[in-house]
Amino acid sequence: VGINMATCTGGLCAFNYIHDFTDNTDWTTLGGSPNLTGVEIDNDTVNTVGSAGLIVAGNTIHDLTVGATFFAAHGYQTDGINTNKYTATRCIIANNRIKNVSEGIDHYGTHCAIFGNTITNTFNFGLKFIHGAAHNSVYGNTIVNGGLASITLDGSDSVGVGDTRGNNIFGNVCKGINQDSYWSATTDAACILTFPDAAKTYKVVNNLIHDNYLDPSGGQYGVRRLSTGP
């Protein structure tokens, strides 16, 4: 992890340059669940108290990569910015530049503003909202050359997190999906991809997605609602 913050109120994490992390280790025998992360929020909270009012802005994060051994064991587990607990609230994540990672911003927080970020060349997702991410305003981001999706919303089986709900996603520019052609042509790739999975405990519900510029350019869909349950 480049910068790790937890149980913080009103802090500023700005204008840092975080780059060129790599790992090619199989951590399975060590009981690890590895993830290379540029800026991490609330992965290890104190007494489950989440962060509030943090500003993460103007950071440059690029080239967080894994080798073949790591990939085979764990997948491409790297994040530019990760708000790891649904407890993080009222944070601002703005005007960061993120490139060559698996996921640009992996967000579980609530009532946050995520805007003006430029995310380029992601293996999986540019922006991901999961594990109860709720009531976030997500606007004015530019996401180029996503893997499976520029923006995705997913549910959760994690205890107590709640639905991924009430997120307002608008005015984002999403261009190019699966540009490296890693994913097969039959894989569901889209500029905006949602997983309203009926089998999961917590769902993707009541989100507003509007006024985005979508150009899948090699992906199959602008918006794809992918249901794996009834």
Side-chain angles (χ1 to χ4, degrees):
V1 177
I3 296 174
N4 183 10
M5 299 175 289
T7 312
C8 296
T9 300
L12 175 66
C13 173
F15 306 116
N16 300 285
Y17 181 34
I18 301 169
H19 59 97
D20 294 291
F21 294 2
T22 191
D23 193 353
N24 196 29
T25 306
D26 181 350
W27 294 87
T28 305
T29 58
L30 301 175
S33 180
N35 201 98
L36 280 66
T37 306
V39 176
E40 183 175 84
I41 301 170
D42 285 356
N43 188 48
D44 50 357
T45 54
V46 179
N47 296 327
T48 69
V49 176
S51 295
L54 288 176
I55 299 174
V56 180
N59 300 286
T60 297
I61 303 167
H62 67 80
D63 291 293
L64 312 185
T65 61
V66 301
T69 300
F70 184 112
F71 184 87
H74 310 291
Y76 203 148
Q77 295 291 331
T78 76
D79 295 331
I81 298 171
N82 185 334
T83 53
N84 200 272
K85 297 290 184 184
Y86 61 94
T87 51
T89 185
R90 293 181 287 106
C91 297
I92 293 173
I93 302 174
N95 299 324
N96 300 284
R97 293 180 296 174
I98 301 170
K99 183 177 181 179
N100 293 340
V101 299
S102 177
E103 296 176 356
I105 299 175
D106 187 0
H107 185 70
Y108 309 178
T110 65
H111 299 93
C112 299
I114 300 173
F115 61 91
N117 300 285
T118 300
I119 301 170
T120 310
N121 296 345
T122 57
F123 183 78
N124 284 320
F125 308 113
L127 297 173
K128 183 173 80 172
F129 300 90
I130 192 172
H131 299 314
H135 306 299
N136 298 287
S137 294
V138 184
Y139 59 94
N141 301 286
T142 299
I143 304 160
V144 179
N145 294 346
L148 287 173
S150 303
I151 301 171
T152 189
L153 295 91
D154 202 351
S156 181
D157 286 321
S158 296
V159 176
V161 299
D163 294 330
T164 299
R165 66 195 185 281
N167 298 289
N168 189 8
I169 298 172
F170 64 98
N172 301 285
V173 174
C174 305
K175 297 180 67 176
I177 299 299
N178 195 23
Q179 295 299 288
D180 295 332
S181 300
Y182 175 82
W183 303 101
S184 73
T186 59
T187 301
D188 287 289
C191 289
I192 298 177
L193 185 64
T194 70
F195 293 87
D197 189 345
K200 289 187 177 178
T201 304
Y202 300 108
K203 320 298 185 191
V204 177
V205 296
N206 298 334
N207 297 283
L208 186 61
I209 300 170
H210 62 102
D211 294 291
N212 300 284
Y213 176 88
L214 309 178
D215 176 10
S217 181
Q220 297 145 300
Y221 304 100
V223 179
R224 174 70 162 151
R225 182 180 182 273
L226 184 63
S227 179
T228 54

